[in-house]
Structures are given as structure tokens and as C-alpha cells.
């Protein structure tokens, strides 16, 4: 689950990560009031679940009331298009009004879970600010990484090594070390899957602050992160993913045209792989669950077919808990009810598979049976090419 910058900063501050003073607002009037409480200059920042706002005009410095009003009017209620939003952009419904901070240096730090070592990894660079992606590509030697043993957490010597590598000196060194230690505690305590501070700011007085904050929390931990879960802003999420979540379906929208409906996450991954291998692109990851009911099948179908980029549906089901004949019944009912016109390729195995095949064949609907996964993927590609 992703959070807004102002929410991330409030959560991080709870772990003693230093952040500028600021207030979230939803109207121009509130923006002006917040600015006068904070004192000028302030920065007016669009709150959307995407970065790259600065370069797109979504972060503006304001030195007086007229400038705050003008910036808030220009951003709030408008669609902001950044490098990360895609061409459709995002509607800005909220702003963060923040004290304007005196910038001496802009550094970069982030924490992720490194999959190959299975440990939290800190990534830091002295070349922070708005162009970190270019730094990673052109001068990767400017990026340092440190793996953390989760049993003991980030050690002070590791934080000092990072701070030294970032070129911090004098009071900024000690502040940087404290900042990194606090940031790790926040990452750990919030069950985050990612925290990115860009820029990690050094002021003229050697203070170290999170000037920007991106925070993602592991969905599987939300049951024990109630405070975080309550901050969810579903308006920022893909509507189909929200709908799928309501029905307890594991659904992730992707860019291709093959709608996949599969039971079990492992089978779903394997299905996506074989679709790609055959030369097509999956439109989604969808795991209807090992014990999916006919209802779940219908919900899944509705979600798949409301994605306009889906041109064909591939069903790959192992009928264990959900018997194949019940699946076939559910499929036929769902296709009829939804008036679905998409071609459907089905591969299934398991209990009562023969009965199920006959039911599908007798339904008079456009189901193409497949024999094994490879055959299913090849049939999908052949049908796509023929269309
Ligand atoms: P994004 O990464 O979406 O472009 P940031 O929050 O990183 O947004 O802001 C972009 C730039 O704006 C920062 O690199 C920094 O130079 C400046 N900035 C952001 N917040 C402040 C602030 N409170 N005071 C002064 N400058 C700021
Ligand atoms: Mg930033």
C-alpha cells in the first residue's frame, strides 16, 4: 500500500526521523491559513501517489500570501502529469503546505527489501535531488549500498560508514547518522517494503531532514498496521484492483492483452511465464484462490472483462477443492450473465474434468479447450494473431 508524502512524513516523524513542519490542506483558503501559521516562505506541494512533481510544476515556492494563493489555485483540482503518472496524469485533491527550508545539499537514501540476499538494503547517494534515475544509469559508482541483518537492525558503524560516504562533515555527520538509524527503525517498525527519501536534505546549519518521502507498506502486514491501513487513499489506486480486493481476489493489472484467470499464485505465475514464452503479454495477474467458489469465478470474470485492453481470456484451473464441473457451471453462468463476447481458452485438470469438458462443449459458447499449458498458450497466441 502506498501513502501520500504528508502521511509518510507524519509516520516517519513518529520514529524521530526529522521532517520539515507542514500541513495537508484541501482548499485554497486552507492553504493560505496553513501558510500564515507556518510563516513564509512556504512550499506548496501536490499530494499524489507519484513522484517527479517538482519538474512538472507540482512543487512551488511561495514567499507571500498572493503567491500561495496562486500556486494552490494552479495545482489543486488540476491534473498533474509527471514522468511517473503516465500521460493521463493524476487529479490533485490535496496539497502539503510546508515550511521552505534552506538547502545546502540534496542527498538520496532509500530502503528496500533486497530479494537476492533476503535482507533490508540501504541505498544512498551524495547525488540526490530530482535526477537520481540518471545517476543510477550514468554514474552507478556514486551509489553505495549496505545490507542490514534484520535480527540486529542497522548498526551504528554501518550508519557512520554511509554518512562518511555521503560526504557529511561536522554537525551534519552526527545528524546524518541519527537520521539513518531512525529511518531504519521506521522501515522496520512500519513493515515497509520501500522508503525513499529524495532529497535527504542538509541545511546550512548541518541539520538533516527528509524533504520528500515515499513510503510503501507491505499489504500482508496491514492487519497489524492499523494506523497505516486507515490512511489508504483508494482514489489513487487502480479501480479494478480496488474492486478485486473487495472480493478477496489477488489481482494485479498489467499491460498486455491476455486476461488470465488462474487458481493458486504459483500456477498464475507459471501461466504468465508461458503466455510470454508463446509470444503474447498477460493483461493481469489473477489468482482466484485455491478454494474459489462459483461466485468468485463470476467476480473474477467481471473484473477481467471490464479491462478494455483484454482481447482474449485464458483460464487455467486445477480443479481440486473447486471441482471442474462446478467451475464449468460457474463459467457458463458468468459468460451468459455478463454477455461476454471475448474468446476464451480453457485448460483445466482435476476432479470431474471429463464432465466439465462436455458441459463446456455443449454450452454453445465460444470456449476453446486446451490440452496442457503449452497448448493453451499457443492457442491464445494463434487466436490473437488471427483476430
Ligand atoms: P518530487 O520528487 O515529486 O519532484 P520533491 O518533494 O522531491 O518532489 O520536491 C522537488 C524539489 O523541490 C526538491 O528536490 C527540493 O529542491 C524542493 N523542495 C521540496 N520541498 C521543499 C521544502 N520544504 N523547502 C524547500 N525546497 C523544497
Ligand atoms: Mg523527490
Amino acid at each position: 500500500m502506498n501513502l501520500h508524502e504528508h502521511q509518510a512524513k507524519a509516520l516517519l516523524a513518529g520514529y524521530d526521523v526529522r521532517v520539515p513542519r507542514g500541513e495537508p490542506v484541501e482548499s485554497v483558503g486552507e492553504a493560505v491559513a496553513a501558510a500564515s501559521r507556518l510563516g513564509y516562505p512556504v512550499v506548496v506541494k501536490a499530494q499524489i501517489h507519484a513522484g517527479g512533481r517538482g519538474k512538472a510544476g507540482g512543487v512551488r515556492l511561495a514567499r507571500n500570501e498572493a503567491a500561495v494563493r496562486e500556486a494552490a489555485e494552479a495545482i489543486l483540482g488540476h491534473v498533474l502529469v509527471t514522468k511517473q503518472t503516465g500521460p493521463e496524469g493524476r487529479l490533485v485533491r490535496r496539497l502539503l503546505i510546508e515550511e521552505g527550508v534552506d538547502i545546502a545539499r540534496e542527498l538520496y537514501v532509500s530502503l528496500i527489501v533486497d530479494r537476492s540476499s533476503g535482507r533490508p538494503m540501504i541505498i544512498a547517494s551524495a547525488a540526490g535531488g530530482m535526477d537520481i534515475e540518471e545517476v543510477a544509469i550514468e554514474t552507478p559508482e556514486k551509489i553505495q549500498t549496505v545490507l542490514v541483518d534484520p535480527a540486529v537492525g542497522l548498526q551504528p558503524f554501518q550508519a557512520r560508514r554511509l554518512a562518511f560516504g555521503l560526504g557529511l562533515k561536522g554537525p551534519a555527520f552526527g545528524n546524518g547518522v541519527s537520521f539513518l538509524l531512525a529511518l531504519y527503525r521506521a522501515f522496520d517498525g512500519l513493515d515497509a517494503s520501500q522508503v525513499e527519501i529524495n532529497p535527504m536534505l542538509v541545511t546550512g546549519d548541518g541539520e538533516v531532514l527528509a524533504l520528500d518521502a515515499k513510503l510503501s507498506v507491505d499489504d500482508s502486514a496491514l492487519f497489524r498496521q492499523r494506523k497505516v491501513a486507515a490512511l489508504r487513499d483508494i482514489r489513487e489506486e487502480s479501480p479494478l484492483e480496488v474492486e478485486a480486493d473487495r472480493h478477496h481476489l489477488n489481482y494485479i493489472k498489467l499491460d498486455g492483452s491476455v486476461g488470465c484467470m488462474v487458481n493458486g499464485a504459483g500456477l498464475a505465475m507459471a501461466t504468465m511465464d508461458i503466455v510470454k514464452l508463446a509470444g503474447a503479454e498477460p493483461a493481469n495477474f489473477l489468482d482466484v484462490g485455491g478454494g474459489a467458489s462459483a461466485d468468485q469465478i463470476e467476480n473474477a470474470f467481471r473484473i477481467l472483462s471490464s479491462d478494455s485492453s483484454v482481447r482474449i481470456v485464458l483460464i487455467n484451473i486445477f480443479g481440486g477443492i473447486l471441482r471442474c464441473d462446478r467451475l464449468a457451471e460457474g463459467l457458463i453462468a458468468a459468460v451468459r450473465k455478463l454477455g461476454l463476447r471475448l474468446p476464451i481458452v480453457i485448460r483445466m485438470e482435476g476432479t470431474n474434468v471429463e464432465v466439465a469438458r462436455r458441459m463446456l462443449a455443449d454450452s454453445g459458447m465460444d470456449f476453446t479447450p486446451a490440452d496442457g499449458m503449452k497448448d493453451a498458450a499457443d492457442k491464445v497466441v494463434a487466436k490473437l494473431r488471427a483476430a
Side-chain angles (χ1 to χ4, degrees):
M1 184 186 122
N2 294 324
L3 291 140
H4 284 295
E5 175 195 4
H6 75 92
Q7 298 169 327
K9 284 177 167 170
L11 290 166
L12 294 174
Y15 288 84
D16 297 329
V17 175
R18 299 213 40 205
V19 299
R21 290 180 300 126
E23 294 180 31
V25 301
E26 297 200 346
S27 71
V28 176
E30 283 173 30
V32 171
S36 71
R37 278 191 293 272
L38 293 164
Y40 291 98
V42 294
V43 175
V44 177
K45 308 182 78 174
Q47 298 296 287
I48 52 172
H49 284 189
R53 298 162 301 167
K55 288 201 166 161
V59 176
R60 302 189 191 197
L61 185 71
R63 298 192 181 279
N64 53 48
E65 187 178 318
V68 170
R69 193 175 291 282
E70 193 188 315
E73 276 168 0
I75 304 173
L76 204 58
H78 294 270
V79 171
L80 186 65
V81 180
T82 82
K83 256 188 179 170
Q84 296 181 15
T85 57
E88 69 284 3
R90 287 282 173 81
L91 179 64
V92 183
R93 299 180 171 93
R94 202 180 291 166
L95 300 172
L96 172 60
I97 310 298
E98 198 169 71
E99 62 174 319
V101 180
D102 142 48
I103 300 179
R105 291 184 62 203
E106 295 196 340
L107 314 174
Y108 174 93
V109 62
S110 67
L111 274 137
I112 54 163
V113 179
D114 175 53
R115 293 185 190 279
S116 53
S117 62
R119 293 185 167 199
M121 181 192 262
I122 302 186
I123 302 167
S125 176
M130 295 194 269
D131 293 316
I132 190 69
E133 287 82 4
E134 272 104 81
V135 175
I137 295 165
E138 283 156 26
T139 48
E141 69 281 0
K142 287 193 180 157
I143 292 179
Q144 16 166 10
T145 59
V146 163
L147 287 172
V148 181
D149 180 341
V152 294
L154 180 67
Q155 296 298 292
F157 82 88
Q158 293 179 303
R160 285 196 293 271
R161 187 180 291 165
L162 281 165
F164 183 77
L166 290 171
L168 296 176
K169 298 200 175 72
F173 185 86
N175 290 333
V177 169
S178 308
F179 183 91
L180 292 167
L181 290 169
L183 194 65
Y184 179 82
R185 282 196 303 274
F187 175 82
D188 188 51
L190 292 166
D191 291 312
S193 50
Q194 187 190 15
V195 180
E196 184 183 63
I197 308 298
N198 186 30
M200 166 179 167
L201 183 89
V202 185
T203 69
D205 306 334
E207 300 283 345
V208 176
L209 300 173
L211 207 55
D212 188 6
K214 177 176 171 179
L215 172 64
S216 310
V217 172
D218 189 336
D219 289 339
S220 307
L222 290 178
F223 75 95
R224 63 179 190 190
Q225 294 288 350
R226 293 283 164 77
K227 226 171 90 186
V228 175
L231 299 175
R232 183 166 176 194
D233 185 352
I234 57 168
R235 297 172 305 187
E236 292 282 331
E237 297 176 21
S238 141
L240 289 180
E241 289 186 8
V242 172
E243 167 83 358
D245 196 47
R246 237 167 30 90
H247 300 295
H248 308 289
L249 295 164
N250 268 319
Y251 171 88
I252 295 164
K253 167 127 179 61
L254 302 169
D255 298 330
S257 56
V258 183
C260 300
M261 183 158 107
V262 190
N263 63 342
L267 191 59
M269 303 279 258
T271 304
M272 290 164 56
D273 281 347
I274 206 155
V275 164
K276 282 180 96 85
L277 191 66
E281 292 292 328
N284 63 280
F285 169 95
L286 172 59
D287 166 18
V288 294
S293 62
D295 254 7
Q296 287 290 77
I297 301 285
E298 186 186 318
N299 291 327
F301 242 126
R302 198 172 38 196
I303 287 162
L304 275 190
S305 55
S306 48
D307 174 357
S308 59
S309 52
V310 170
R311 290 170 50 210
I312 187 163
V313 176
L314 168 57
I315 299 173
N316 188 5
I317 300 274
F318 176 74
I321 300 170
L322 170 68
R323 297 186 333 243
C324 292
D325 55 325
R326 289 283 297 124
L327 167 72
E329 202 181 301
L331 281 180
I332 293 167
V335 170
R336 189 166 292 142
K337 189 163 161 194
L338 301 170
L340 212 65
R341 284 179 203 286
L342 294 165
I344 302 171
V345 175
I346 304 186
R347 180 260 175 171
M348 55 185 167
E349 287 300 341
T351 313
N352 293 351
V353 66
E354 290 308 327
V355 184
R357 288 210 178 111
R358 225 170 310 123
M359 288 166 69
L360 292 177
D362 294 345
S363 70
M365 294 171 178
D366 186 13
F367 293 114
T368 305
D371 191 15
M373 288 178 59
K374 172 102 181 31
D375 183 46
D378 289 341
K379 280 185 169 144
V380 162
V381 171
K383 279 191 165 286
L384 273 178
R385 295 218 169 116

